[in-house]
Amino acid sequence: MTFEPQVCAFACNWCGYSAADQAGAAKLEYPAGVKIVRLMCTGMMDPYYTLRAFERGFDGVLIIGCHIGTCHYGTGNVQARDEMARVARVLNALGLGQGRLLVDAASASEGPRFAKLANEFVERVRKLGPSPLREVIAQ
């Protein structure tokens, strides 16, 4: 049996989620293990959301927002990028590794980009293997 990573993808309403929607409408394939959570803005990303996703058994967290300079709320995407850089250091300290977290961008018209990011991230997480927290949760 091959390991299929479970990824929690947080996507901003205006760009990331619309790109995922466009990818689906265009029938572009990305792994079924990518579960999307819609946020109004990635600036709403609280470190708790990321840590809770890992606690719940996800193997990776993907955050897709607007491109820098195009946030509908001004600087939410910059805020998210900076906050998640700090979270990546915490994940590293916890032994999860910062490779299980990715913050990137896709505009509403970039469905292919969303699918590509999801596929590449899942492949990266697959190489890392299951989250060490999965074993703790299963006990």
Side-chain angles (χ1 to χ4, degrees), residues 12-87:
C12 86
N13 181 62
W14 304 102
C15 288
Y17 191 81
S18 295
D21 188 44
Q22 188 197 51
K27 298 192 183 338
L28 300 174
E29 291 188 22
Y30 60 89
V34 176
K35 310 300 184 209
I36 301 172
V37 177
R38 185 194 316 200
L39 301 172
M40 285 308 291
C41 177
T42 54
M44 294 176 61
M45 272 305 295
D46 189 298
Y48 175 78
Y49 299 160
T50 306
L51 298 173
R52 184 77 170 135
F54 286 110
E55 183 184 46
R56 289 255 170 142
F58 284 96
D59 301 299
V61 173
L62 176 62
I63 301 165
I64 304 290
C66 302
H67 289 285
I68 301 298
T70 63
C71 177
H72 286 70
Y73 297 100
T75 59
N77 50 6
V78 174
Q79 191 177 327
R81 180 194 63 195
D82 295 346
E83 187 71 31
M84 291 306 116
R86 288 187 285 278
V87 170

Side-chain angles (χ1 to χ4, degrees), residues 122-138:
V122 166
E123 190 54 40
R124 180 166 97 184
V125 173
R126 184 177 286 119
K127 289 177 183 170
L128 293 172
S131 168
L133 293 180
R134 267 194 178 192
E135 294 172 18
V136 175
I137 294 166

